[in-house]
């Protein structure tokens, strides 16, 4: 039996604005196992992005647990959650979230820089990654030419939030590249 890499256990999220409460999630449980490709589908406002933010440790549940690679993140402080995201999670957001003044190569290298990978190794790994995607020729181009295909380097889990329905070329392209990765994807 495969091991769960991302798990929500009875997770709820309530947003409060003064006396007004909005229940975005109510007791959601989901387990994503190693090698599994998962897609969350639902109408606007159904809690897909809220769940993705909880699984990615960008937010905390009001109640319940979030486990990443078997580790309970619920009571972790911000610094510990940031370190966990740096080491174990990769994100592809609806917006590109690339640094526009950096080249494609520099954007790919960025997470490795944060991980304190030495410069020569960083450059070699980033260039190899771009070459594997057939994007080596874009290495010195600006971020927007890379944005639709970029994903985190060598990350065990990739969280994707797309605003494209089934059949989307962008979604299918990333899905094909992630066939051997551990991926959770939200499709709208």
């Amino acid at each position: 039996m495969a091991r769960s890499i991302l798990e929500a256990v009875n997770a709820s999220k309530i947003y409060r604005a003064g006396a007004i409460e909005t229940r975005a999630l109510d007791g959601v449980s989901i387990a994503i196992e190693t090698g599994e490709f998962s897609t969350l589908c639902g109408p606007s406002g159904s809690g897909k992005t809220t769940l993705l933010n909880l699984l990615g440790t960008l937010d905390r549940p009001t109640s319940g647990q979030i486990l990443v690679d078997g580790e309970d993140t619920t009571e972790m402080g911000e610094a510990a959650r940031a370190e966990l995201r740096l080491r174990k999670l990769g994100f592809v957001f609806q917006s590109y979230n690339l640094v526009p003044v950096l080249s494609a190569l520099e954007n790919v290298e960025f997470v490795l820089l944060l991980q304190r990978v030495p410069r020569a190794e960083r450059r070699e790994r980033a260039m190899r990654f771009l070459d594997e995607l057939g994007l080596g020729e874009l290495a010195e181009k600006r971020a927007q030419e890379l944005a639709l295909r970029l994903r985190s380097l060598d990350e065990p889990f990739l969280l994707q939030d797309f605003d494209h329905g089934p059949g989307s070329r962008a979604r299918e392209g990333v899905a094909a590249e992630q066939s051997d990765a551990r991926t959770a994807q939200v499709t709208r």
Side-chain angles (χ1 to χ4, degrees):
M1 184 167 111
R3 181 174 70 86
S4 292
I5 56 171
L6 289 173
E7 192 169 357
V9 180
N10 203 27
S12 296
K13 182 65 181 178
I14 300 171
Y15 294 101
R16 292 181 174 87
I20 299 172
E21 290 188 352
T22 302
R23 186 172 295 274
L25 291 177
D26 190 14
V28 172
S29 293
I30 183 172
I32 299 169
E33 297 179 355
T34 300
E36 183 177 13
F37 186 93
S38 301
T39 301
L40 304 172
C41 296
S44 179
S46 63
K48 300 178 302 292
T49 298
T50 299
L51 180 58
L52 189 64
N53 287 342
L54 295 180
L55 290 171
T57 74
L58 295 172
D59 200 359
R60 293 180 190 206
T62 305
S63 63
Q65 291 180 297
I66 302 297
L67 294 100
V68 176
D69 207 19
E71 188 173 0
D72 188 352
T73 67
T74 311
E75 298 300 322
M76 282 183 179
E78 182 54 39
R81 290 189 353 257
E83 182 68 21
L84 182 114
R85 286 190 298 272
L86 180 62
R87 301 288 173 203
K88 293 192 175 187
L89 296 170
F91 294 88
V92 176
F93 293 96
Q94 289 179 39
S95 56
Y96 303 137
N97 293 321
L98 298 174
V99 181
V101 298
L102 297 180
S103 70
L105 182 63
E106 291 165 334
N107 267 283
V108 174
E109 285 182 303
F110 190 70
V111 72
L112 299 172
L113 176 69
L114 295 175
Q115 293 174 344
R116 296 181 179 89
V117 173
R119 179 179 165 80
E121 179 184 348
R122 222 177 33 237
R123 182 68 38 130
E124 186 273 326
R125 287 173 63 186
M127 197 62 221
R128 184 178 62 224
F129 175 75
L130 289 171
D131 285 339
E132 286 172 3
L133 292 178
L135 298 172
E137 71 280 359
L138 297 178
E140 296 307 318
K141 302 288 185 183
R142 291 292 171 226
Q144 58 270 30
E145 297 184 51
L146 177 69
L148 291 176
R149 306 279 313 268
L150 183 65
R151 67 164 175 83
S152 297
L153 282 171
D154 298 324
E155 296 297 337
F157 317 133
L158 179 66
L159 302 176
Q160 302 172 126
D161 190 353
F162 284 107
D163 198 17
H164 305 288
S168 161
R169 288 181 57 195
R171 185 187 70 80
E172 289 172 358
V174 174
E177 292 163 14
Q178 290 302 309
S179 61
D180 62 346
R182 300 187 285 178
T183 305
Q185 175 177 318
V186 174
T187 303
R188 296 171 202 237

